[in-house]
Amino acid sequence: MQESQHEAQVLASLRDFFIAKDGVELEAAAGSLPVDLKAAVPAVSDWESVEFDFNRFFVGPRVLAAPPYASVYLSPEPQVMGEAALDARRVYEALGLQSPFDAQLPDDHLSLELDALRIMQGVLSHTPSEPLKALRDCFVHEHLNAWVPLFARRVRSVAPEHTVIRFMADAVERCVESVAESKGRF
């Protein structure tokens, strides 16, 4: 598998995992990782119990253990729908995208941001564009790299019952680091 295809598959799998609605979708997202990563996914015997842990961390209804929103980590006062959400929306608009969850999910949700990155990487792998490369680099270095490590650290510090959640949070962090390190590749 080509490096760009591998990266696109990783980004899509992580996107799908962090937006999953239930244990079935969580299992499908983890199962859609490329073979090399899928082999490292911790074994899960009960995806419904993972769903419970997932909701505790990322969905609610109670206070989230590790909110998947950039604003929580980038705002002076942790909040949802802060300036980071507006920044993410401006990136999507520059790409001609709009959230399919408009008015239902803040624009700075991890899954939406991973999808925007996947789209930018895909376009750049086929069509070099300096303006798009600059947008991608800014999005990765100034935005994703500023909050995803904090998010992953929060997941690790709260210690999810199911190690698959920690594994996927770590995978997001490694993926963002990898894209950041590949600056100038396209």
Side-chain angles (χ1 to χ4, degrees):
M1 179 182 298
Q2 268 186 320
E3 184 178 347
S4 62
Q5 290 174 316
H6 184 271
E7 185 176 80
Q9 187 176 351
V10 170
L11 285 166
S13 297
L14 293 171
R15 172 204 62 202
D16 294 348
F17 185 86
F18 286 100
I19 200 73
K21 294 181 185 87
D22 56 32
V24 171
E25 290 184 9
L26 290 167
E27 181 178 18
S32 70
L33 284 164
V35 174
D36 61 318
L37 287 176
K38 189 173 10 181
V41 174
V44 175
S45 60
D46 180 12
W47 283 95
E48 282 186 28
S49 66
V50 173
E51 176 185 344
F52 180 81
D53 214 16
F54 178 88
N55 288 337
R56 180 174 70 91
F57 270 78
F58 312 123
V59 179
R62 295 192 172 100
V63 174
L64 303 181
Y69 305 101
S71 295
V72 171
Y73 304 92
L74 299 178
S75 300
E77 294 290 323
Q79 63 180 336
V80 175
M81 282 301 296
E83 188 63 33
L86 300 175
D87 291 343
R89 182 178 298 158
R90 286 190 275 276
V91 169
Y92 307 153
E93 288 171 355
L95 296 169
L97 302 173
Q98 182 178 346
S99 169
F101 302 100
D102 196 33
Q104 298 171 359
L105 188 68
D107 289 334
D108 61 342
H109 187 280
L110 178 60
S111 291
L112 297 174
E113 294 191 0
L114 292 173
D115 200 43
L117 178 58
R118 182 190 61 80
I119 290 167
M120 285 187 271
Q121 292 289 88
V123 171
L124 286 169
S125 71
H126 298 292
T127 310
S129 162
E130 285 304 316
L132 182 56
K133 183 178 171 300
L135 178 63
R136 186 265 329 256
D137 289 349
C138 181
F139 186 61
V140 170
H141 293 281
E142 304 298 322
H143 185 78
L144 287 169
N145 231 9
W147 80 272
V148 168
L150 300 172
F151 164 77
R153 191 173 310 131
R154 173 93 56 100
V155 171
R156 288 188 295 270
S157 72
V158 179
E161 179 180 332
H162 295 280
T163 56
V164 70
I165 291 176
R166 179 181 175 154
F167 176 87
M168 296 301 266
D170 289 344
V172 167
E173 184 177 26
R174 285 189 309 273
C175 187
V176 169
E177 287 172 358
S178 175
V179 173
E181 290 169 2
S182 69
K183 185 176 177 181
R185 184 178 64 185
F186 297 112

